[in-house]
Amino acid sequence: MVYKNEATPDNRMITVDRERGITLQSRPAGPDGVYPFSLDWEGLKIPFAAEIADKKRYQDEQGAWRFDYTWLVRAIDLPEGFSESEEKLFSVISEAIDACGLMHSRARVGQVIVNFAPGVFTSKGYL
Amino acid sequence: MEQVSQGFMDDLRGAHGSLLQTHQLLNKVVAGKQFVPFQNLVDTLHSMSCEAFLPRMERPKGFIFGSGPANPLKDIHYKHFTGQLARDGHGLVTIANTQASQLIERTSFTAQLRHALEASGSAYDVDDIHHGYFNEDGERELGLWDDISRGYAKHAHGMVITVTPNACAHRVFVRSELPELIVNESVESINALSREMFLDYFDVLRAVGVSDRQAYKFVDDDLVKGSSVAFLRGYSEEFQHDLGITMRHDFHCSHGPDVSHIFDKAHPRHTLFAANDTAVDVKILPGFEVDLEGAHHH
């Protein structure tokens, strides 16, 4: 996994793995705490939405605050022509969220766990 | 990281109320080397307007509020309904139509907020600051979205529609929006029912010793949720399908017949946009009729 969190020339933050052609972008979330994302995987746009289901905050040995996140992916909108397996898709999304950390920064992020809701392909309204 | 200069902070203060100028200024902060103090960012956000307008600054006819899963059994989020209502051309707005909402969503603002929290060694992250966090007593401390939402509710007028069949008592709608809506004299109706009815119920609860927090929860549980379901159900057959089970639960189990009768009036035909709207003339799907007689027996 060679993801980087970086700013685009127009100052948007992205999480990008150029070797594999994967880019994760955040989209406006609104007041409810469900975060919509757009995953670009070799040119295919895959919108999905996830929320922080659990958060643990703790101080490390230097006394700095760090956060462990458990994300729950609530919705994935698969584009036509998507041919990868569900397992592979979940793996890529999990890696991208892990690399993203929070708001495209891993600066204070510890462990990241990503789970998928049972109705992740049939839910409505998250995207 | 070092704090931005006093001159920069003066400029930021001078840009209060201007989304464009604020955005341009925040983009000048050198990433990884400078940060804007937390309170300056909060003050900047609070300087933005929470009044919602239609595109081209037209005055809206009504205001949409949403919270929580509209139907948890089918995993349908409230935005499925708020988005459709806003798109259908009734002159309705959501909180996304406010200047403050547009700033808090900007990467330029969010990134600076994150830098400020990191630089100060805060025990909170951007998600905590945006959405609030639970304290040791299990109470949610309010977040910046609560501030914007409260302002959005304060500036609402005319018709209010809530997509809140399953709003949680600790989330933004019940904590920050409902208290403002029921005392906002510019609001005529909530889910096509008179705003005064919600306020009267709140006053009755307070008069018998119920706390503010509990009273808002009861107003939401007893009046807002049911009227929200009834209103949405009357809007279109698609909404009926999506809300079916939730609706039957609310009307037949949770409420007595006297309260259920109130919900009969919570229908889009009683609102400003009903007269010219064919979408509200829907048939009740079999099995989803409001059974007032049957409500006695459950």
Side-chain angles (χ1 to χ4, degrees):
Chain A
M1 181 165 81
V2 285
Y3 282 101
K4 283 182 181 174
N5 285 314
E6 61 185 42
T8 62
D10 58 349
N11 277 314
R12 284 176 299 113
M13 291 300 295
I14 57 172
T15 300
V16 60
D17 179 342
R18 290 197 168 79
E19 282 181 21
R20 293 192 293 166
I22 299 171
T23 304
L24 182 70
Q25 275 188 53
S26 302
R27 292 161 47 205
D32 58 357
V34 179
Y35 294 88
F37 294 93
S38 179
L39 184 79
D40 187 316
W41 187 359
E42 293 181 327
L44 271 183
K45 299 266 190 296
I46 307 171
F48 71 91
E51 63 185 341
I52 298 171
D54 189 41
K55 183 192 303 185
K56 289 186 176 61
R57 72 187 83 228
Y58 55 95
Q59 288 176 285
D60 64 17
E61 290 170 356
Q62 286 75 44
W65 285 97
R66 296 184 67 77
F67 305 87
D68 291 345
Y69 299 101
T70 300
W71 287 86
L72 180 64
V73 179
R74 303 302 303 253
I76 302 174
D77 185 11
L78 279 184
E80 279 190 32
F82 184 79
S83 56
E84 296 285 354
S85 67
E86 185 179 296
E87 186 183 12
K88 176 78 172 164
L89 173 68
F90 284 5
S91 169
V92 166
I93 288 177
S94 299
E95 284 175 8
I97 291 175
D98 189 354
C100 174
L102 188 71
M103 311 285 176
H104 302 279
S105 170
R106 291 264 341 173
R108 301 201 296 166
V109 176
Q111 188 180 17
V112 174
I113 296 168
V114 181
N115 296 319
F116 292 82
V120 71
F121 295 113
T122 57
S123 59
K124 290 184 185 176
Y126 291 98
L127 297 166
Chain B
M1 276 201 288
E2 64 181 33
Q3 188 172 306
V4 292
S5 67
Q6 185 60 47
F8 180 93
M9 289 192 281
D10 292 343
D11 289 346
L12 192 60
R13 197 172 302 111
H16 276 187
S18 167
L19 189 62
L20 180 63
Q21 286 180 37
T22 299
H23 180 58
Q24 288 171 341
L25 274 169
L26 291 177
N27 277 337
K28 288 181 182 172
V29 181
V30 182
K33 292 185 178 171
Q34 293 179 305
F35 71 94
V36 182
F38 177 78
Q39 194 56 49
N40 294 63
L41 292 167
V42 172
D43 292 346
T44 295
L45 182 69
H46 286 161
S47 77
M48 297 295 160
S49 170
C50 296
E51 193 169 0
F53 291 97
L54 290 162
R56 290 177 291 181
M57 298 300 282
E58 289 174 90
R59 187 175 163 84
K61 290 181 182 171
F63 295 75
I64 306 170
F65 292 77
S67 181
N71 188 337
L73 295 175
K74 294 182 181 176
D75 202 4
I76 303 176
H77 194 51
Y78 76 81
K79 284 182 185 169
H80 174 65
F81 300 91
T82 56
Q84 188 65 47
L85 286 165
R87 282 194 298 271
D88 278 354
H90 306 300
L92 306 176
V93 289
T94 70
I95 195 169
N97 298 80
T98 65
Q99 191 186 40
S101 171
Q102 286 160 27
L103 179 63
I104 197 173
E105 300 277 25
R106 292 273 176 115
T107 305
S108 56
F109 183 82
T110 307
Q112 291 311 323
L113 199 55
R114 177 168 59 74
H115 291 151
L117 295 169
E118 288 169 9
S120 64
S122 170
Y124 304 102
D125 64 8
V126 175
D127 178 67
D128 295 324
I129 302 302
H130 274 189
H131 303 291
Y133 55 88
F134 287 91
N135 63 25
E136 289 173 354
D137 298 328
E139 289 286 311
R140 187 174 70 87
E141 298 287 344
L142 303 184
L144 292 176
W145 272 113
D146 287 272
D147 300 340
I148 298 172
S149 298
R150 200 162 46 245
Y152 173 60
K154 261 185 191 171
H155 286 94
H157 51 81
M159 166 175 60
V160 162
I161 299 167
T162 77
V163 183
T164 56
N166 296 288
C168 296
H170 65 264
R171 299 292 285 263
V172 172
F173 177 71
V174 179
R175 287 288 300 279
S176 299
E177 293 173 335
L178 187 59
E180 296 295 339
L181 284 176
I182 64 174
V183 297
N184 179 344
E185 292 184 353
S186 299
V187 170
E188 292 166 14
S189 67
I190 299 173
N191 299 329
L193 302 177
S194 164
R195 175 191 59 84
E196 281 90 348
M197 187 186 70
F198 296 83
L199 182 57
D200 288 348
Y201 187 44
F202 176 79
D203 288 341
V204 166
L205 291 165
R206 291 292 292 120
V208 296
V210 177
S211 70
D212 275 3
R213 286 283 296 280
Q214 277 297 313
Y216 291 127
K217 183 181 184 308
F218 287 147
V219 170
D220 182 56
D221 284 344
D222 296 344
L223 294 180
V224 181
K225 285 178 177 169
S227 62
S228 173
V229 174
F231 188 97
L232 296 170
R233 178 176 167 271
Y235 183 77
S236 72
E237 288 187 8
E238 184 197 346
F239 280 17
Q240 280 186 48
H241 274 293
D242 288 341
L243 290 165
I245 292 171
T246 314
M247 178 264 159
R248 285 207 286 193
H249 170 77
D250 276 345
F251 281 89
H252 293 182
C253 300
S254 299
H255 299 290
D258 50 340
V259 177
S260 293
H261 185 65
I262 293 169
F263 298 139
D264 220 15
K265 297 182 177 65
H267 192 284
R269 66 173 167 265
H270 299 300
T271 60
L272 296 171
F273 65 77
N276 300 318
D277 195 334
T278 54
V280 300
D281 186 21
V282 297
K283 290 176 291 189
I284 304 301
L285 298 175
F288 294 109
E289 298 89 350
V290 176
D291 178 11
L292 296 179
E293 294 298 318
H296 290 282
H297 308 299
H298 288 280

